[in-house]
Amino acid sequence: MSPAATTASHTDASAPVLRDFGGGPFGIYIHVPFCATRCGYCDFNTYTAGELGTSASTQSWAEALRGELATAAREFAALPTATPPVETVFVGGGTPSLLGGDGLGAVLDAIRAEFDLAPGAEVTTESNPESTSPAFFDKIRAAGFTRISLGMQSAAPHVLAVLDRTHTPGRAVAAAREARAAGFDHVNLDLIYGTPGERDRDLDASLDAVLDAGVDHVSAYSLIVEDGTALARRVRRGELPAPDDDVLAARYERIDSRLEAAGLTWYEVSNWAAGDTARCRHNLGYWDGGDWLGAGPGAHSHLGGVRWWNVKHPARYADRVAHGGLPAADWEDLTAADRYLERIMLALRLRTGLPLTDLDAEGAAAARRIAADGLVAVTDERLILTDRGRLLADGVVRDLVG
């Protein structure tokens, strides 16, 4: 869930040197590394039961998670400024819903045992539609979760088959309705577009289903063929075509048009919400350069310009926690140049844009050139991507930073 790290200086991998909090909202991300099956396109740090064998389990993970949270709380308590209340919690993965309602409630209890949750904190969990039920939603709502993010991906059976998704096409919509019935005001559905074999009418059917579900948030991501995945091997063997950039651009415009017409407005390049209160506050913390603790195998953390990331394998993660200290695999102290790049890279993806005052002289000159090409506009002294600029956001960032 955290943004990619940039190149920066680092030292002893097991001991990140922490500085004080940066002054913005503070969030906690929990990584659940378990999945029932592995999707062909996924390169996340996840494991099926067969891949783990007896080396790790949900029980050993939960025990290690409690240990990491306790260690982090002690480390943070030694900093000059008191640890701020936790404004947002996001439980991701993997498939957090495999923990069940009781397991997810225990995760939130473990956070509460070490940190103060702010009044009105946003508490989100990702869920696979097939591992949810009305009883599941009732339990996690009672436990204190306030927001649900469901992996729908598509309403077309043949598209789900290419992605190796196991849920039936209608289950995601049914799950969204069950979540609303359980009292969740904020429900997100994830879409993936550009899958080989997807047609315009397949995307339209997916959008029809999303809008029929009555959710207040939609995330839509173009399919990326990641090295080392089963999907990448199929593309390399010629079994499937690689996603076409022109098709991806047309699909994005189709998604944006349909969602905007239905009252869901983009606030980040890949995210649309029905008003400010529906926006994902946790992810906004990433994009605004906030602080967060990432707990769990492979999770990334950021505190006052210092970033660290945990060892990936659940068994090694548990072993590192048991021996004390934060279970970091490596860490970095972001330089001024790193922070400048990340500020542009993240803020420009937001509808609110980037303040012109954040740009150096070379960046300001580049911004004028890019504006002349119609990729950005200047509104209230902020640089904001145009509709065409959103399709080329990565290139705009590269041009701004030289």
Side-chain angles (χ1 to χ4, degrees), residues 39-368:
C39 298
Y41 64 93
C42 179
D43 72 337
F44 294 164
N45 185 45
T46 61
Y47 305 84
T48 65
E51 290 168 339
L52 285 173
T54 59
S55 67
S57 66
T58 55
Q59 291 77 21
S60 63
W61 167 84
E63 182 179 352
L65 179 71
R66 289 191 293 269
E68 183 186 6
L69 290 169
T71 297
R74 289 195 300 271
E75 295 273 355
F76 293 174
L79 297 175
T81 303
T83 303
V86 178
E87 299 283 350
T88 64
V89 173
F90 196 107
V91 184
T95 309
S97 47
L98 287 179
L99 300 178
D102 291 335
L104 282 170
V107 168
L108 194 51
D109 287 342
I111 294 172
R112 289 191 182 107
E114 305 296 343
F115 297 91
D116 291 329
L117 278 185
E122 175 193 86
V123 184
T124 303
T125 184
E126 294 180 334
S127 298
N128 185 312
E130 289 298 316
S131 53
T132 64
S133 67
F136 167 83
F137 291 119
D138 286 339
K139 276 193 174 183
I140 62 173
R141 186 72 188 93
F145 283 82
T146 67
R147 187 174 180 275
I148 295 291
S149 182
L150 293 160
M152 175 178 171
Q153 320 316 351
S154 176
H158 66 280
V159 173
L160 293 174
V162 171
L163 296 173
D164 293 322
R165 297 290 293 184
T166 58
H167 65 267
T168 55
R171 177 56 202 155
V173 170
R177 290 174 177 156
E178 290 167 3
R180 295 298 296 268
F184 283 94
D185 293 327
H186 304 305
V187 181
N188 170 68
L189 284 171
D190 276 349
L191 291 176
I192 290 178
Y193 60 94
T195 301
E198 181 189 60
R199 302 158 297 190
D200 285 348
R201 64 177 179 268
D202 297 324
L203 179 61
D204 285 340
S206 297
L207 291 168
D208 288 342
V210 165
L211 296 176
D212 189 51
V215 298
D216 67 343
H217 192 286
V218 176
S219 301
Y221 305 100
S222 65
L223 179 66
I224 298 175
V225 180
E226 300 285 3
D227 290 342
T229 61
L231 180 63
R233 291 190 289 274
R234 295 184 68 187
V235 170
R236 188 170 59 249
R237 291 193 298 262
E239 297 174 15
L240 294 171
D244 180 272
D245 287 343
D246 290 336
V247 171
L248 293 176
R251 296 271 161 78
Y252 179 87
E253 291 175 327
R254 200 179 194 95
I255 291 168
D256 185 54
S257 176
R258 288 287 307 277
L259 295 180
E260 291 276 349
L264 292 158
T265 302
W266 81 278
Y267 69 98
E268 191 274 341
V269 168
S270 298
N271 290 273
W272 291 257
D276 292 352
T277 59
R279 297 176 178 180
C280 180
R281 288 161 48 195
H282 186 84
N283 285 341
L284 281 169
Y286 296 149
W287 296 319
D288 286 334
D291 291 323
W292 69 92
L293 169 67
H300 285 229
S301 300
H302 175 265
L303 190 69
V306 174
R307 178 169 293 129
W308 67 97
W309 46 99
N310 289 346
V311 294
K312 287 188 172 183
H313 195 279
R316 187 168 175 234
Y317 163 75
D319 182 68
R320 288 287 297 274
V321 171
H323 284 82
L326 294 172
D330 209 344
W331 70 283
E332 61 187 356
D333 190 352
L334 299 179
T335 66
D338 294 328
R339 296 192 196 197
Y340 179 75
L341 169 61
E342 289 205 354
R343 174 62 180 154
I344 293 174
M345 179 177 67
L346 298 173
L348 200 62
R349 293 183 64 86
L350 296 172
R351 191 184 188 103
T352 50
L354 176 74
L356 292 176
T357 53
D358 285 359
L359 294 170
D360 60 19
E362 291 182 357
R368 289 191 291 271

